[in-house]
């Protein structure tokens, strides 16, 4: 079994300030870690993922996340947020199960960027 | 490539009616997943289908819910005799193969069901 914990349901932050959205996971097997973003009334979009290799992964819009195996964490960070980053962010673990993907999502963190 | 298309985007039903939600996967994708998002909750897995086959329905409620993915046409999530607790956003995702590798799930914009 696997689980994902997003510790903060809402995070307000001023524009141009840094932000960290926390994610911890637990799993008895190897998993892969993802962050998805959901803008209002839209579906989820992949933000970034960790499969293997370098533990620091980056997205094209300035977000980064670091896989920390010892702390079972995959926190999402951005050094300077923009109004357009206002959205809900979901951490997820993917694992292979019988040839297909089983995905477990966290409950989401709503990022509100304040002008 | 139009991506994953879901319709209707919004659906209103009265208690006891049936709801049918459709999902057309991305072109070339033959694997479909359905998820449900309840208010203030994350997405919960419901069912995974390949063409004409239900592979994993461990997340589906035992009664009133069914899903199919026929050889031709979209995948359909069907909810019979809806109740207020069925009000949620239902998301469909598709992938081009079941295995993992570099594949990710591509999500549709969701169908929001409101039961009056």
């Amino acid at each position: 079994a696997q689980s994902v914990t997003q510790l903060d349901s809402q995070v307000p932050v001023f524009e141009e300030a840094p932000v960290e959205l926390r994610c911890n996971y637990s799993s008895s097997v190897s998993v892969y870690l993802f962050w998805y973003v959901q803008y209002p009334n839209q579906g989820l979009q992949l933000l970034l993922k960790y499969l293997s290799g370098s533990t620091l992964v980056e997205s094209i819009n300035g977000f980064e996340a670091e896989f920390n195996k010892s702390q079972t964490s995959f926190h999402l960070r951005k050094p300077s947020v923009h109004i357009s980053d206002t959205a809900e962010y979901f951490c997820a673990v993917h694992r292979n199960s019988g040839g297909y993907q089983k995905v477990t999502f966290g409950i989401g963190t709503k990022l509100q960027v304040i002008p | 490539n139009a991506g994953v298309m879901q319709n209707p985007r919004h659906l209103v039903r009265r208690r006891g009616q049936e709801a049918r939600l459709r999902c057309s996967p991305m072109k070339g994708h033959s694997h479909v997943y359905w998820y449900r998002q309840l208010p203030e909750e994350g997405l919960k897995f419901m069912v995974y289908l390949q063409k004409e086959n239900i592979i994993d329905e461990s997340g589906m409620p035992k009664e009133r819910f069914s899903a199919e993915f026929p050889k031709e046409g979209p995948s359909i999530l069907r909810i019979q005799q809806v109740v207020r607790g069925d009000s949620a956003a239902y998301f469909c995702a598709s992938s081009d193969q079941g295995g993992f590798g570099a594949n990710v799930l591509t999500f549709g914009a969701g169908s929001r069901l409101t039961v009056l």
Side-chain angles (χ1 to χ4, degrees), chain A residues 1-113:
Chain A
Q2 58 210 38
S3 66
V4 179
T5 302
Q6 290 185 247
L7 297 168
D8 307 299
S9 59
Q10 294 191 47
V11 173
V13 62
F14 285 103
E15 192 174 14
E16 298 184 3
V19 69
E20 178 180 80
L21 307 183
R22 295 179 291 171
C23 172
N24 288 86
Y25 70 94
S26 67
S27 178
S28 57
V29 299
S30 295
V31 294
Y32 306 93
L33 297 159
F34 288 62
W35 276 98
Y36 290 87
V37 57
Q38 184 181 30
Y39 298 102
N41 297 315
Q42 295 186 29
L44 274 70
Q45 301 173 30
L46 175 67
L47 187 60
L48 47 75
K49 60 184 178 182
Y50 171 75
L51 304 181
S52 65
S54 172
T55 57
L56 184 66
V57 291
E58 299 177 352
S59 72
I60 58 173
N61 57 353
F63 282 94
E64 65 179 29
E66 186 161 19
F67 170 58
N68 188 319
K69 189 174 182 179
S70 62
Q71 297 185 8
T72 60
S73 67
F74 191 54
H75 301 330
L76 182 70
R77 303 184 184 96
K78 189 171 186 179
S80 175
V81 295
H82 189 267
I83 292 289
S84 60
D85 294 325
T86 295
E88 190 159 17
Y89 293 79
F90 292 91
C91 183
V93 294
H94 289 224
R95 71 175 175 91
N96 245 341
S97 174
Y100 65 97
Q101 300 177 55
K102 290 215 107 169
V103 184
T104 302
F105 289 90
I107 64 169
T109 297
K110 291 180 180 173
L111 174 62
Q112 182 183 7
V113 180

Side-chain angles (χ1 to χ4, degrees), chain B residues 75-93:
Chain B
S75 175
I76 295 175
L77 180 67
R78 182 183 179 203
I79 311 171
Q80 295 178 289
Q81 299 175 332
V82 296
V83 300
R84 288 215 175 102
D86 297 332
S87 295
Y90 293 84
F91 289 95
C92 170

Side-chain angles (χ1 to χ4, degrees), chain B residues 23-112:
Chain B
C23 169
S24 296
M26 281 187 70
K27 187 176 181 181
H29 286 193
S30 59
H31 301 257
V32 166
Y33 301 75
W34 284 94
Y35 290 83
R36 178 165 63 174
Q37 184 180 31
L38 293 166
E40 305 304 320
E41 294 188 24
L43 278 74
K44 303 293 185 186
F45 169 78
M46 298 183 76
V47 62
Y48 162 60
L49 310 102
Q50 295 178 18
K51 282 286 187 181
E52 300 185 274
N53 286 305
I54 297 173
I55 307 302
D56 181 348
E57 55 182 347
S58 59
M60 289 277 270
K62 293 290 185 275
E63 298 176 347
R64 303 187 297 108
F65 284 72
S66 63
E68 63 178 12
F69 189 18
K71 186 176 181 181
E72 302 291 337
S75 175
I76 295 175
L77 180 67
R78 182 183 179 203
I79 311 171
Q80 295 178 289
Q81 299 175 332
V82 296
V83 300
R84 288 215 175 102
D86 297 332
S87 295
Y90 293 84
F91 289 95
C92 170
S94 72
S95 68
D96 62 354
Q97 54 181 285
F100 192 73
N103 298 306
V104 296
L105 302 181
T106 302
F107 283 84
S111 292
R112 282 161 178 79

